[in-house]
Amino acid sequence: MGYRPVFTKQNPIAVAVRLALAGSALCLALPAAAQSVASGAAPRAGMSATTQAPASASAAQATNGRVLLAQNVPAPAEGTETATPVPQLQEVVVSGFRESLAKETIAKKNAIGFTDSIYSEDIGKFPDNNIAESFNRIPGITISRDITGQGVNIAIRGLGSDFTKVLLNGAPIAVASTSTTDAQSTNQEVDLNLFPTELFTSLTVEKTSSADMLEGGAAGTVNMRSARPFDSPGRHLAFGAQGTKNQNAGAWGNHDYLIASDTFDNGFGVLIGGVVSHNNVATPGFETIGWTNPNLSVVKAANGTSPAVTAAQAQCLAAVCNGTGGGNWTIPATVPGTSPGGLPAGTVINQAFLLAENPGANITQIDNGIIPRLGRPSYEYGFQDTYNAVLSLEFRPNDALHFYMDNMFGKEHNDLTREDMDWVGRNGAAIPIGETFDKSDCSQGCTVTGGTFANSQFFLEYRPYFENTDFWGTNPGLNWRVNDWLSGDVQANYTKSTFHREVPSVLVATANDLTVNYTNDGGVPDIGSNVDLNNPASFSWVGGRVNMQDERRVTTTKGIRFNVTFGKGGPFNVKTGFAYDDIWRHINGFDNSGAWQNAVCGDNPNVSLPGPNTQPPCQGLSTATPGAGYPTYPGLGQGASVGMGPLAYQGSLIPAAALGNYLSPGPAGLVTVNWNQFKAASDYSTFHANEPGSGGTNTGASGGYVRNSDSGIYLEFTGNTTIFGHGLRYNAGVREVRTLQYIGGPISIANPANAGVPGTTTCPNNTTKALTAACDGSFYGNISTFTTTENNYNNTLPSLELVYDIM
């Protein structure tokens, strides 16, 4: 079987090589084989031709991107004098991008509802990284982007992404990943950054509903149609390579694809392809986790607060104090002994003091002015790898019968590091000096625009996180036109996606007597410190911690849909069908933070006991007798700790004296953690391998599962008629849906064994002791139970859409 002529039109199924370096693209068309467009060769879809090509290449002329073919003119009879014949030119138009625009326009015009479509010719031209960014080119579609700038989720008409129904080849899908950094994604939102544009031929957005559409898309429904071999009959090979350099990362990434397809005389077709993408990222930025005003102390008689504060001690004597809420930031009652900011140690910080240190400000401004709750410059860097493959099989034994099976695989691996240098506003004890504000009347709140804050503190939050997402799905189906008035289709689907997110974190802090110069002029706030925040010697374990959390998710979808249409596609048609879809999402959290922290910086006790037993603080001590604040566990060996003991402190795995060896100046001008050395010294791998389950997760999502099982049946009428000389098209129908919903999750409750024997004062081991600190070490941990609930309901969903052609 010979090759068919191929004309490149920026279609992923066409034969093309695209090389893009540093934002530039070079397109090179390569024919699959050297065969002339002659001898009755059929033109490819998207190309129109009314004559055969000339036998020789010299007969062709190129004009403005069009191929003009000289038509053969009969030679004059011998002996006849005629003028030299002028070749008659016939135009052959090779269309690509224009054809896709025409398809989109026709589809939008013929649709009864509000529909937008993009076809593969468009997608081939877009410099998009994934399908989410291609959807962003449709009116009414917005996308959410990750911190790296990559498009992830889509939303229609301003509603959240969980109001959008996402379909792959007409069937619902679910991806287990958690969207943008620290998002929870516990609804029906789908992360589309896993799907590259090269593997799809059309994207459709339905902004209105009809009875035959699957329920669940309150904002709209989008359908992604993957490539199939008969989209472009014949034998084709497409490949491309693209390189991109991230200036912040200073390294090159790549995006490469290879797609091959062939159709055969027996009606069978196969398409196989793959896409590999590697992206280096580095994103500096600034954020604050909320805003806060101070919680000023007041006279007890004014509002009944405790402990009692006298008028001479009160920081606010106004008629209304702390009236705008917030209050995460507490100004100390006296200047600490370290004399932060040069203030006299021991001086009472009352209203007179605050007004004197903030000349020109009134107490209402000081009371209600907000600063960042956790203001922090951030830096995220690392790499993202994505691998995708598609296998599509088609069988068309005749024009009336069509079988297909679409298979798609995707894998994403993220190896990223997040560094935040947090100025402590929440739970802080900063003393404001020389504050300025954006307005004079702050009774309803205002913003601090500048000032100096003595007694401040910073902490570094270092979080490497490793994510792995897998997706696999299959969609077999068939379309059958039984005769001129009866046709039908049936389709099944199954997808499964898994996700694992590993997020350890290391937090080290400065002393709490720093001085901060703060400016907020409406742009990015400037937070300057009087100590070098890029110097490891500025940080210690005091006020620090470590965390070890993992999150695993599994999502599956399965279903079947059946539709029958009565009618010839003319003035009146009736359509009916049935659909069953089952979507399941399971979320599991894991946490071993307590045991790891005790070993790393809690003086490493030889026993690790759960709460409510006392936990040692993270101070990096390395001594057998840590002293005050460290538990002695008098109840050890009893109750929950039978067989344990005696208690011994073995010294922190990373003591305070050695902490600086695991820190270094960072790429963003802020101190960072040498993770590989820290990981080895802290025995991270051992603690991670023994990580117990937890009801919580590192994204904040609750552990458990949600399952929706939907059954729907519908009846729909479509047609067209003429009213007052103009066409009227209509779609009317009703859909009846039954939903079964199952929700389950863990609940943690206090262990009743800790109360001892009712009516007595005993420890959990029933030993007669006062139920106080004397029992510390014998308490049982909380009990985790798994509860489930079921719900079912029916919905009747009528629909009516009318289109009247006034012109």
Side-chain angles (χ1 to χ4, degrees):
M1 176 176 180
Y3 287 91
R4 300 186 64 181
V6 174
F7 290 80
T8 300
K9 32 177 212 177
Q10 281 294 332
N11 186 329
I13 310 303
V15 177
V17 176
R18 183 175 63 186
L19 299 174
L21 299 177
S24 300
L26 171 65
C27 297
L28 174 64
L30 300 176
Q35 177 176 335
S36 62
V37 188
S39 303
R44 184 184 175 201
M47 179 185 75
S48 61
T50 56
T51 65
Q52 295 180 348
S56 64
S58 62
Q61 303 177 38
T63 305
N64 294 330
R66 296 174 174 174
V67 179
L68 304 179
L69 304 180
Q71 185 165 343
N72 295 330
V73 180
E78 185 176 352
T80 303
E81 293 184 3
T82 62
T84 302
V86 177
Q88 299 178 10
L89 300 181
Q90 179 64 44
E91 183 176 7
V92 176
V93 180
V94 181
S95 60
F97 184 64
R98 288 186 178 182
E99 180 191 11
S100 68
L101 294 178
K103 287 181 180 179
E104 179 181 349
T105 302
I106 293 172
K108 191 175 182 70
K109 178 181 178 180
N110 292 337
I112 297 178
F114 290 98
T115 301
D116 286 284
S117 300
I118 309 179
Y119 292 89
S120 60
E121 290 82 359
D122 292 61
I123 299 173
K125 282 183 175 290
F126 291 160
D128 299 324
N129 295 320
N130 56 56
I131 284 292
E133 297 179 357
S134 295
F135 270 117
N136 195 39
R137 300 177 180 275
I138 294 178
I141 303 293
T142 57
I143 65 175
S144 59
R145 295 183 180 272
D146 200 350
I147 189 173
T148 62
Q150 178 178 232
V152 180
N153 301 123
I154 64 173
I156 300 177
R157 295 183 296 190
L159 294 177
S161 57
D162 52 328
F163 290 95
T164 299
K165 189 79 168 183
V166 180
L167 310 178
L168 175 62
N169 298 317
I173 63 169
V175 178
S177 54
T178 60
S179 184
T180 56
T181 303
D182 295 336
Q184 296 184 3
S185 290
T186 55
N187 294 304
Q188 68 173 11
E189 53 266 273
V190 176
D191 294 349
L192 298 178
N193 56 310
L194 188 62
F195 303 104
T197 59
E198 289 85 357
L199 302 183
F200 295 86
T201 57
S202 68
L203 309 176
T204 302
V205 177
E206 300 280 356
K207 300 176 184 177
T208 53
S209 299
S210 57
D212 64 337
M213 291 175 57
L214 296 179
E215 62 283 342
T221 301
V222 303
N223 183 40
M224 306 181 296
R225 165 72 150 71
S226 62
R228 291 175 179 166
F230 278 97
D231 291 340
S232 184
R235 186 176 300 174
H236 303 283
L237 178 68
F239 57 94
Q242 176 176 317
T244 304
K245 185 175 183 180
N246 186 302
Q247 289 184 334
N248 290 331
W252 286 88
N254 63 280
H255 183 87
D256 311 313
Y257 69 91
L258 175 65
I259 305 172
S261 67
D262 203 355
T263 57
F264 306 93
D265 293 337
N266 60 3
F268 181 75
V270 59
L271 180 146
I272 186 170
V275 181
V276 177
S277 179
H278 174 80
N279 188 26
N280 294 292
V281 298
T283 306
F286 176 88
E287 66 180 6
T288 177
I289 309 303
W291 297 78
T292 183
N293 61 300
N295 182 16
L296 300 183
S297 63
V298 297
V299 178
K300 181 179 179 180
N303 62 0
T305 59
S306 181
V309 177
T310 67
Q313 297 169 324
Q315 296 169 348
C316 180
L317 297 173
V320 177
C321 298
N322 303 315
T324 57
N328 299 135
W329 159 36
T330 300
I331 301 174
T334 60
V335 176
T338 55
S339 298
L343 299 173
T347 304
V348 174
I349 303 178
N350 54 17
Q351 177 171 306
F353 176 96
L354 294 176
L355 292 175
E357 293 295 332
N358 296 273
N362 58 57
I363 197 61
T364 303
Q365 289 176 312
I366 298 172
D367 180 20
N368 296 321
I370 58 173
I371 64 171
R373 182 172 173 270
L374 274 184
R376 58 197 196 189
S378 65
Y379 190 60
E380 183 160 327
Y381 58 93
F383 65 86
Q384 300 170 308
D385 289 337
T386 307
Y387 310 90
N388 295 88
V390 64
L391 172 63
S392 180
L393 306 175
E394 284 189 285
F395 180 52
R396 297 174 179 263
N398 53 58
D399 293 338
L401 193 59
H402 172 211
F403 298 88
Y404 60 87
M405 175 178 281
D406 302 311
N407 303 279
M408 183 165 288
F409 169 80
K411 181 179 181 64
E412 182 178 35
H413 172 68
N414 294 331
D415 189 329
L416 299 169
T417 297
R418 175 76 179 263
E419 299 174 354
D420 300 314
M421 185 60 69
D422 301 68
W423 176 35
V424 180
R426 68 175 190 193
N427 302 324
I431 303 171
I433 302 172
E435 279 190 308
T436 57
F437 305 87
D438 65 338
K439 61 180 71 171
S440 57
D441 181 5
C442 289
S443 58
Q444 302 301 315
C446 57
T447 301
V448 176
T449 58
T452 299
F453 294 83
N455 205 46
S456 288
Q457 185 179 30
F458 288 85
F459 67 82
L460 165 72
E461 187 172 14
Y462 175 89
R463 290 184 294 169
Y465 59 97
F466 315 98
E467 298 177 333
N468 287 287
T469 306
D470 291 284
F471 173 86
W472 175 81
T474 184
N475 293 82
L478 68 90
N479 301 318
W480 185 22
R481 173 164 287 281
V482 181
N483 51 45
D484 289 344
W485 56 270
L486 177 63
S487 63
D489 63 82
V490 62
Q491 181 200 52
N493 73 285
Y494 177 83
T495 70
K496 182 176 182 180
S497 178
T498 61
F499 173 76
H500 176 212
R501 189 172 195 249
E502 178 185 348
V503 187
S505 66
V506 179
L507 190 153
V508 292
T510 68
N512 61 357
D513 58 355
L514 277 60
T515 299
V516 165
N517 293 315
Y518 174 72
T519 302
N520 180 6
D521 56 7
V524 176
D526 180 60
I527 304 173
S529 170
N530 66 329
V531 301
D532 184 3
L533 299 178
N534 203 23
N535 183 357
S538 301
F539 295 84
S540 71
W541 274 128
V542 178
R545 58 177 168 81
V546 295
N547 284 85
M548 177 186 296
Q549 291 183 309
D550 282 57
E551 184 170 339
R552 295 182 183 272
R553 299 188 177 203
V554 179
T555 60
T556 60
T557 67
K558 57 184 177 181
I560 188 169
R561 282 149 296 284
F562 175 73
N563 303 284
V564 177
T565 302
F566 302 91
K568 299 182 179 181
F572 184 74
N573 300 274
V574 178
K575 188 176 181 181
T576 186
F578 167 81
Y580 169 77
D581 288 292
D582 191 287
I583 303 176
W584 184 80
R585 183 193 301 270
H586 203 153
I587 302 174
N588 290 312
F590 301 86
D591 194 321
N592 206 12
S593 300
W596 189 43
Q597 177 171 298
N598 291 347
V600 172
C601 58
D603 207 15
N604 195 14
N606 63 331
V607 294
S608 180
L609 303 176
N613 295 293
T614 305
Q615 304 299 311
C618 175
Q619 295 180 345
L621 299 186
S622 186
T623 176
T625 56
Y630 285 79
T632 58
Y633 294 138
L636 188 65
Q638 305 168 30
S641 62
V642 169
M644 296 184 184
L647 173 66
Y649 283 96
Q650 307 165 97
S652 300
L653 295 180
I654 300 181
L659 177 61
N661 298 333
Y662 303 94
L663 306 177
S664 63
L670 302 169
V671 73
T672 188
V673 175
N674 304 322
W675 172 244
N676 289 333
Q677 292 91 330
F678 191 97
K679 177 180 177 181
S682 65
D683 201 14
Y684 173 84
S685 297
T686 300
F687 285 97
H688 186 257
N690 295 281
E691 196 173 24
S694 170
T697 64
N698 53 41
T699 61
S702 298
Y705 72 85
V706 176
R707 178 185 177 189
N708 278 337
S709 180
D710 299 314
S711 301
I713 187 170
Y714 74 92
L715 181 64
E716 181 182 84
F717 305 93
T718 60
N720 61 79
T721 186
T722 301
I723 297 181
F724 303 121
H726 296 276
L728 174 69
R729 289 172 286 146
Y730 60 87
N731 178 301
V734 62
R735 187 179 188 91
E736 183 70 20
V737 182
R738 185 186 183 193
T739 298
L740 301 178
Q741 189 175 69
Y742 308 87
I743 302 175
I747 296 179
S748 181
I749 60 175
N751 197 317
N754 290 332
V757 177
T760 64
T761 54
T762 61
C763 291
N765 64 337
N766 296 333
T767 307
T768 302
K769 290 182 180 179
L771 195 59
T772 60
C775 298
D776 194 17
S778 66
F779 293 121
Y780 290 88
N782 291 344
I783 297 176
S784 181
T785 62
F786 198 89
T787 61
T788 60
T789 182
E790 299 182 10
N791 188 26
N792 67 83
Y793 51 89
N794 297 330
N795 279 320
T796 301
L797 308 174
S799 64
L800 174 64
E801 298 174 302
L802 302 173
V803 176
Y804 185 63
D805 300 323
I806 59 176
M807 294 184 63

Coordinates of all heavy atoms in Angstrom, one line a residue, residues 35 45 47 114 180 199 203 212 326 360 476 502 576 676 773:
Q35 N 5.9 10.9 -3.6 CA 4.8 10.6 -4.5 C 4.2 11.8 -5.0 O 3.8 12.7 -4.3 CB 3.8 9.7 -3.9 CG 2.6 9.3 -4.8 CD 1.7 8.3 -4.2 OE1 2.1 7.6 -3.3 NE2 0.5 8.3 -4.6
A45 N -8.2 15.3 3.3 CA -9.2 16.1 3.9 C -8.7 17.5 4.3 O -7.6 17.6 4.8 CB -9.8 15.4 5.2
M47 N -8.2 19.7 1.8 CA -7.7 20.3 0.6 C -8.7 20.1 -0.5 O -9.2 19.0 -0.7 CB -6.4 19.6 0.2 CG -5.7 20.1 -1.0 SD -4.3 19.1 -1.5 CE -5.1 17.7 -2.1
F114 N -25.5 27.1 23.5 CA -24.3 27.9 23.5 C -23.1 27.0 23.5 O -22.8 26.3 24.5 CB -24.2 28.9 24.7 CG -25.2 30.0 24.6 CD1 -26.4 30.0 25.3 CD2 -24.9 31.1 23.8 CE1 -27.3 31.0 25.2 CE2 -25.9 32.2 23.7 CZ -27.1 32.1 24.4
T180 N -3.5 23.0 42.2 CA -2.4 23.9 42.5 C -1.8 23.6 43.9 O -2.4 22.8 44.7 CB -2.9 25.3 42.5 OG1 -4.0 25.5 43.4 CG2 -3.3 25.7 41.1
L199 N -2.3 15.2 21.6 CA -3.0 13.9 21.6 C -4.5 14.1 21.4 O -5.3 13.2 21.5 CB -2.8 13.1 22.9 CG -1.3 12.8 23.2 CD1 -1.3 12.0 24.5 CD2 -0.7 12.1 22.1
L203 N -11.8 20.1 21.1 CA -12.3 20.5 22.4 C -13.6 21.2 22.3 O -13.7 22.1 21.5 CB -11.3 21.4 23.1 CG -9.8 21.0 23.1 CD1 -9.0 22.0 23.8 CD2 -9.7 19.7 23.9
D212 N -29.8 15.1 26.6 CA -28.9 14.0 26.3 C -27.5 14.2 27.0 O -26.7 13.3 26.9 CB -28.7 13.8 24.8 CG -28.1 15.0 24.1 OD1 -28.2 16.1 24.7 OD2 -27.5 14.8 23.1
G326 N -9.8 40.0 64.5 CA -8.4 39.7 64.2 C -7.7 39.4 65.5 O -8.0 38.5 66.2
G360 N 1.8 61.2 65.9 CA 0.9 61.5 64.8 C -0.2 60.4 64.6 O -1.2 60.7 63.9
P476 N -14.2 2.0 25.1 CA -14.6 1.2 23.9 C -16.1 1.7 23.5 O -16.9 2.0 24.4 CB -14.6 -0.2 24.3 CG -14.8 -0.2 25.8 CD -14.2 1.2 26.3
E502 N 4.5 13.5 49.0 CA 5.3 13.4 50.2 C 5.9 14.8 50.5 O 6.5 15.4 49.6 CB 6.5 12.4 49.9 CG 7.5 12.3 51.0 CD 8.6 11.4 50.6 OE1 8.6 10.7 49.5 OE2 9.6 11.4 51.3
T576 N -33.5 9.1 22.6 CA -33.6 8.6 24.0 C -32.4 7.8 24.3 O -31.6 7.3 23.5 CB -34.9 7.7 24.1 OG1 -35.1 7.3 25.5 CG2 -34.8 6.4 23.3
N676 N 19.6 16.7 51.5 CA 20.1 15.3 51.4 C 20.9 15.0 52.7 O 20.8 13.9 53.3 CB 21.0 15.2 50.2 CG 20.2 15.1 48.9 OD1 19.0 14.7 48.9 ND2 20.8 15.5 47.8
A773 N -0.6 14.7 86.3 CA 0.7 14.5 85.7 C 1.4 13.2 86.1 O 2.3 12.7 85.5 CB 1.6 15.7 85.9

